[in-house]
């Protein structure tokens, strides 16, 4: 049987890293659009997008901020657009899904459980910050609860259902797979589902290969053949876990949202550089990278002509 091609998702900017940590982290609409297009040209078939305040790089879930770059990305690339619904640890689920409701993308994220979600240890690495908001934002992340209750998930799924959006089910620990199974059993999500196994977030499961095998085995037991999967390793585990996942038949996610580095201790110059690296590894090890249309077919997406931007 032919081996399934590998879908590379690139997560362009996210909500964890701040401008002080890397000059490459995009936060203006121009830079988000340019880096997204370059990542697609380098081999990413899915672009996972957050928005930021163009003045100071602060995280934003304002749909207007998405409006400043979505049409530009669509004009220049055929890649699948995936809009985050998890982009703030401080807002309600209704506020977080507003961009996806307004722009009706082919994909959006769906976070599958409530958890601690912290990056406060990063604060100690930087003496000075480019912008006022950064230090408190990072330090106070030890007080954040990333809220995704069953009621929140059901509310988001019901509001988004008419848009026929495929979810990137973000699972940060093994319990989240059981949450997802429960939600499928009550009819909230339909197969084939797409699961993003996430490793290395403080508050979630750690980035060991043993844990990847455990998550995969658990998902096999719960979902049988009715699912596709991808791996996101945060920080230093990004490339190792992506490489392992691709060799296990899974898909991969890279991007500056998840790691600012291209190799140990060396900052990445761009999102595209990370995509090019994982593409090279995947191809050298005998797999083929999926085009956007191949990703659409595999994940049963509605098509780029049915989005709202
Ligand atoms: N930042 C990642 C660890 C989302 O956007 O909904 C998870 C994420 C969540 O991408
Ligand atoms: Zn994200």
């Amino acid at each position: 049987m032919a081996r399934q091609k590998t879908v590379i998702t690139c997560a362009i900017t996210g909500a964890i890293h701040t401008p002080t940590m890397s000059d490459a982290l995009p936060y203006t609409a121009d830079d988000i659009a340019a880096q997204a297009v370059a990542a697609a040209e380098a081999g990413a078939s899915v672009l996972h997008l957050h928005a930021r305040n163009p003045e100071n790089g602060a995280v934003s879930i304002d749909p207007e901020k998405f409006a400043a770059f979505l049409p530009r990305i669509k004009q220049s690339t055929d890649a699948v657009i995936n809009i985050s619904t998890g982009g703030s640890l401080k807002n309600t689920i209704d506020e977080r899904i507003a961009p996806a409701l307004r722009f009706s993308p082919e994909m959006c994220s769906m976070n599958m459980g409530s958890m601690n979600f912290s990056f406060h240890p990063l604060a100690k690495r930087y003496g000075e910050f480019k912008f006022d908001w950064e230090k408190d934002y990072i330090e106070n992340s030890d007080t954040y609860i990333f809220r995704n209750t069953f009621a929140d998930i059901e509310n988001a799924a019901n509001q988004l259902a008419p848009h026929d959006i495929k979810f990137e089910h973000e699972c940060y620990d093994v319990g989240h797979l059981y949450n997802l199974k429960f939600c499928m059993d009550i009819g909230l999500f339909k197969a084939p589902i797409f699961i993003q196994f996430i490793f290395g977030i403080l508050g979630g499961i750690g980035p060991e290969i043993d844990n990847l095998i455990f998550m995969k085995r658990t998902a096999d037991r719960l979902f049988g053949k009715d699912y596709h999967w991808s791996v996101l390793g945060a920080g230093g585990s990004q490339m190792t876990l992506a490489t392992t996942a691709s060799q296990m038949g899974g898909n991969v996610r890279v991007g500056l949202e998840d790691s600012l580095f291209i190799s140990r201790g060396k900052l990445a110059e761009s999102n595209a550089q990370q995509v090019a690296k994982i593409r090279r590894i995947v191809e050298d090890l005998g797999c083929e990278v999926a085009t956007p249309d191949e990703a659409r077919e595999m994940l049963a997406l509605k098509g780029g002509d049915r989005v709202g931007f």
Side-chain angles (χ1 to χ4, degrees):
M1 204 173 83
R3 196 166 175 173
Q4 192 171 276
K5 294 191 179 180
T6 309
V7 174
I8 302 179
T9 296
C10 186
I12 303 294
T13 190
I16 297 176
H17 297 127
T18 71
T20 295
M21 298 175 187
S22 168
D23 290 338
L25 185 74
Y27 60 87
T28 64
D30 280 353
D31 201 8
I32 291 172
Q35 288 216 37
V37 171
E41 284 167 354
S45 46
V46 178
L47 300 168
H48 171 109
L49 294 165
H50 291 240
R52 292 196 180 237
N53 180 334
E55 307 297 327
N56 63 5
V59 172
S60 171
I61 53 166
D62 175 2
E64 286 307 318
K65 302 283 189 298
F66 285 86
F69 56 74
L70 288 175
R72 289 153 70 178
I73 297 172
K74 187 180 156 186
Q75 259 167 27
S76 310
T77 161
D78 184 35
V80 174
I81 303 290
N82 171 337
I83 292 182
S84 171
T85 66
S88 168
L89 299 168
K90 298 178 180 172
N91 290 79
T92 64
I93 191 74
D94 284 322
E95 291 164 333
R96 282 163 37 196
I97 65 173
L101 279 176
R102 168 146 164 212
F103 298 109
S104 193
E106 289 183 87
M107 297 183 75
C108 72
S109 62
M110 179 68 69
N111 291 274
M112 294 312 301
S114 301
M115 58 190 285
N116 290 341
F117 190 121
S118 195
F119 35 94
H120 65 280
L122 290 178
K124 294 195 189 71
R125 294 196 198 164
Y126 305 92
E128 283 183 24
F129 289 88
K130 276 187 199 160
F131 297 108
D132 287 349
W133 64 274
E134 294 181 67
K135 189 164 187 278
D136 283 353
Y137 180 72
I138 301 164
E139 278 180 354
N140 292 340
S141 64
D142 64 353
T143 66
Y144 299 156
I145 294 174
F146 189 26
R147 187 188 143 141
N148 299 287
T149 64
F150 283 113
D152 290 336
I153 293 168
E154 185 163 356
N155 174 16
N158 287 338
Q159 289 196 61
L160 291 164
H163 292 269
D164 195 12
I165 300 172
K166 180 66 66 178
F167 299 109
E168 176 193 10
H169 291 284
E170 313 269 15
C171 293
Y172 301 78
D173 215 325
V174 74
H176 295 178
L177 297 173
Y178 288 86
N179 295 352
L180 177 53
K181 170 70 173 155
F182 171 81
C183 292
M184 284 199 77
D185 287 347
I186 61 168
L188 286 186
F189 306 119
K190 55 175 193 281
I193 52 170
F194 178 60
I195 305 178
Q196 192 69 256
F197 297 142
I198 301 180
F199 303 90
I201 295 293
L202 186 55
I205 201 167
E208 288 81 30
I209 287 173
D210 251 7
N211 290 339
L212 166 52
I213 308 243
F214 178 45
M215 290 281 273
K216 166 75 167 58
R217 202 169 51 223
T218 305
D220 283 347
R221 191 168 59 243
L222 294 175
F223 307 111
K225 291 194 184 323
D226 278 352
Y227 83 105
H228 296 281
W229 62 284
S230 174
V231 164
L232 173 184
S237 67
Q238 182 183 60
M239 291 293 166
T240 354
L241 285 178
T243 303
T244 311
S246 78
Q247 285 298 290
M248 289 168 62
N251 303 290
V252 302
R253 174 168 140 174
V254 294
L256 299 182
E257 169 166 349
D258 305 330
S259 168
L260 294 171
F261 294 87
I262 191 68
S263 57
R264 200 171 185 77
K266 189 164 177 231
L267 287 170
E269 286 162 16
S270 65
N271 280 280
Q273 191 188 20
Q274 290 184 343
V275 173
K277 177 168 176 171
I278 194 62
R279 180 185 190 155
R280 201 164 55 238
I281 293 171
V282 164
E283 290 179 344
D284 279 355
L285 294 177
C287 299
E288 275 182 81
V289 165
T291 64
D293 280 343
E294 288 167 341
R296 286 187 173 95
E297 195 184 334
M298 185 194 304
L299 301 176
L301 305 185
K302 65 180 174 179
D305 55 340
R306 291 184 52 212
V307 299
F309 54 91

